[in-house]
Amino acid sequence: MLYDDMSKLMLLLCFALLHTAVITAKTHDKTNGPNCQNFSQGVTFNESEAIGTWHLLHFITEKEKGSGDPHCVEFIPVDEQERNKLQDRIGKYVENLNWDTISLKMEIPCKSLNSNKTRDYYLERLENNGSYRTLQMPPASAKLDLAEFHRYPMRLKIIEGQYLGMIDCHEKFVFLLGKQPPEGKKLDEKVKKMIETYWPEE
Ligand SMILES: *[C@@H]1O[C@H](CO)[C@@H](O)[C@H](O)[C@H]1NC(C)=O
Ligand SMILES: *[C@@H]1O[C@H](CO)[C@@H](O)[C@H](O)[C@H]1NC(C)=O
Ligand SMILES: *[C@@H]1O[C@H](CO)[C@@H](O)[C@H](O)[C@H]1NC(C)=O
Ligand SMILES: *[C@@H]1O[C@H](CO)[C@@H](O)[C@H](O)[C@H]1NC(C)=O
């Protein structure tokens, strides 16, 4: 299916920065892990808890294999003014989007990394259970009438009151994020348990 191939491609483009961190870390059997249904089962997601900078925790397992680049994501609230500006700019190129539900923006990586390659995604809220669909902004230099605005479903939830879980619904790839970057090789027992839950050993 074209759609299927496209969404695979999108996925690769979309979370590329985070993905490079984890894909090399572990090839896991995704059929045992959570999917978008059971990931957000019974979840009520309060967006304001997601605002701010989050660091990839799972990455710690890769660190043990020698690579220690930090990876982070920043969630920024989107107000009405920004929403309107966005709609004015790209509204005619994007179909089936309820602009009123765009309330979060996700930047990868976070500003503190001073990367010159940031990816910006507006998040369209589908439900209050943490269901979102991304709207990836094309590069500023892209010609808008040709640009593609990659959109695909993802889910967010707060785990154990202090971690942020993010799942990509297509690849069922789970990212575990914390407020602090992972430190050295010390794996918090809680984090270890979470990793076992979300990244079951095959
Ligand atoms: C979610 O559902 C999948 C597929 O049915 C299953 O393999 C997995 O164990 C479930 N995960 C959780 C956390 O319930
Ligand atoms: C969360 O909301 C989405 C979007 O409406 C819905 O498809 C999904 O079934 C809901 N998930 C749960 C576990 O309630
Ligand atoms: C959402 O979280 C914020 C910040 O933690 C809190 O102030 C607010 O009361 C919460 N809202 C709801 C509806 O729980
Ligand atoms: C971005 O940063 C990298 C690494 O610091 C550098 O090699 C590259 O030239 C920079 N690219 C631009 C467009 O500034």
Side-chain angles (χ1 to χ4, degrees), residues 36-43 126-131 155:
C36 275
Q37 274 69 46
N38 57 21
F39 184 83
S40 50
Q41 201 125 49
V43 168
L126 302 177
E127 286 292 325
N128 292 327
N129 65 10
S131 299
R155 303 275 193 272

Side-chain angles (χ1 to χ4, degrees), residues 150-173:
H150 298 307
R151 292 162 76 193
Y152 65 94
M154 59 175 269
R155 303 275 193 272
L156 289 174
K157 76 171 169 188
I158 298 289
I159 299 169
E160 305 256 350
Q162 55 176 320
Y163 304 103
L164 182 69
M166 176 159 90
I167 184 169
D168 165 324
C169 294
H170 187 78
E171 297 280 303
K172 301 181 185 67
F173 213 95

Side-chain angles (χ1 to χ4, degrees), residues 49-64:
E49 293 182 73
I51 306 296
T53 300
W54 296 86
H55 302 268
L56 191 63
L57 292 179
H58 184 264
F59 190 58
I60 197 157
T61 57
E62 195 195 357
K63 206 167 190 175
E64 288 164 4

Side-chain angles (χ1 to χ4, degrees), residues 46-49:
N46 178 351
E47 275 187 351
S48 52
E49 293 182 73

